[in-house]
Amino acid sequence: MLQFLLRRLTGAVVIMFLIGAFTFFLFYTIPQDFAELACGKNCTPENIAVIRENLGLDKPITAQFWEFMGGIVTGRDFAVGHCPAPCLGVSFDSGDFVWESIVDRFPLTLSLTVGGLVVFLILGLGSGMLAAWKRGTPVDKFVSGASMVLSSFQIYFLGPIVLGLFVYSTGWMESPKYTPIGEDPVAWFTGMLIPWAVMATIFTAQYTRMARSTMIEQLQEEHVRTARAKGMRQRYVFFRYAWRGSLTPIVTILGMDISALLTGAVVTEFTFDLAGVGRLAVDSSLTKDLPMTMGVMLFGAFFILLMNIIVDMAYAYIDPRVRLA
């Protein structure tokens, strides 16, 4: 296991370097003076020259690249001060360090992800197992039908309906907002409740169908039929053999969903007017804030690689047939 982790971590470092290089040179092929972008409107040539020198844009592109990559590891010095590692540059729009802006927005996105994840996993996997257990019965038909209907909804469609019904019309619930959990746990919970519910509705349908289909497939495997033939109880066979084997494809999709949610639930944050990492990515692209856009892309790539490693490790625990060579 240790050798596996070392290999994966080494590969992740190489991949992150390649992604960083590709992202850097991709943005630098844009026919636009970065100093002008950072300076904004009504900027004089003198100000542009000062900004170009302060940001190191007057240096050759290769020197800028190595300063950028080195800043991620050791930090960099700018005219506005020292940028500690991991330094992803200075925002053209706000003048703040990119990494500090991402870290400031990340707790909201993390709260949105973790809360929604807990809700839709419990509901989705639970209802999928129930449908597989009661296959062919009215319970199975009801759960399958409900999941098909709910899967047709989208967050940008269901979100405004929920807001209009429970917030604006009846006033039963407060408008979604983020409060740090350390300041007020109750306000944190109530402020995230509607986004969690909407996300859970959408994702629950997906995981219900997936859990049901994989459970039914596992119940037809030879080792499960053998366990039944030996006289083991149906409940024991269901949870001990079939359930564990059905988790492998679910873990794969779950890892992808967590990566996407952690790197910015763009639609969810825009629907409920929440300022998370996803909203930061969209805003920075609209304002042509290239350092912020590059930083969010690298931040997302890091989490995708991290979740891939965690998923591979989970395979070895879930399925004994998997061997980490």
Side-chain angles (χ1 to χ4, degrees), residues 39-302:
C39 190
K41 297 180 180 180
N42 302 322
C43 194
T44 63
E46 292 77 11
N47 291 337
I48 294 177
V50 171
I51 292 174
R52 184 177 289 111
E53 181 180 357
N54 291 339
L55 295 179
L57 300 176
D58 55 339
K59 301 177 181 179
I61 187 172
T62 54
Q64 295 182 47
F65 169 71
W66 288 114
E67 285 187 359
F68 174 76
M69 298 302 295
I72 298 177
V73 180
T74 61
R76 293 177 62 184
D77 291 321
F78 292 95
V80 295
H82 178 71
C83 177
C87 179
L88 300 176
V90 180
S91 170
F92 289 167
D93 186 47
S94 64
D96 298 329
F97 293 132
V98 171
W99 177 252
E100 293 180 357
S101 299
I102 294 176
V103 170
D104 183 61
R105 300 286 192 99
F106 185 63
L108 188 154
T109 303
L110 181 63
S111 297
L112 197 63
T113 301
V114 173
L117 177 70
V118 171
V119 176
F120 72 67
L121 277 183
I122 293 176
L123 295 179
L125 299 185
S127 56
M129 290 175 59
L130 179 62
W133 179 269
K134 300 291 184 179
R135 182 184 181 187
T137 65
V139 174
D140 178 25
K141 295 178 181 179
F142 173 78
V143 172
S144 300
S147 65
M148 289 295 293
V149 173
L150 294 177
S151 64
S152 63
F153 291 162
Q154 296 296 328
I155 293 177
Y156 56 80
F157 170 77
L158 186 60
I161 294 177
V162 174
L163 288 175
L165 180 61
F166 293 99
V167 177
Y168 305 129
S169 297
T170 62
W172 291 347
M173 302 182 69
E174 296 181 357
S175 181
K177 62 181 180 180
Y178 174 69
T179 302
I181 189 172
E183 294 181 6
D184 190 343
V186 176
W188 170 80
F189 179 81
T190 56
M192 293 283 101
L193 191 56
I194 290 181
W196 289 344
V198 173
M199 289 177 60
T201 301
I202 305 301
F203 283 93
T204 293
Q206 173 186 350
Y207 282 87
T208 296
R209 300 198 313 273
M210 189 183 308
R212 179 186 180 276
S213 61
T214 55
M215 279 297 301
I216 292 176
E217 181 180 351
Q218 285 297 314
L219 288 171
Q220 298 173 353
E221 292 288 337
E222 292 185 2
H223 66 281
V224 175
R225 294 201 300 265
T226 301
R228 286 174 173 172
K230 291 182 178 180
M232 295 182 180
R233 292 181 302 172
Q234 179 73 6
R235 187 183 303 273
Y236 180 82
V237 173
F238 188 88
F239 288 100
R240 179 64 178 84
Y241 294 99
W243 168 239
R244 187 171 183 177
S246 69
L247 287 179
T248 302
I250 295 175
V251 168
T252 302
I253 302 300
L254 180 62
M256 296 172 60
D257 288 340
I258 293 177
S259 299
L261 291 173
L262 281 175
T263 54
V266 177
V267 177
T268 306
E269 292 174 6
F270 259 91
T271 300
F272 299 106
D273 194 24
L274 298 172
V277 177
R279 184 67 176 267
L280 179 65
V282 176
D283 290 343
S284 62
S285 63
L286 293 177
T287 59
K288 297 182 179 179
D289 191 351
L290 300 185
M292 188 68 70
T293 305
M294 292 171 58
V296 174
M297 290 181 62
L298 292 176
F299 182 76
F302 167 77

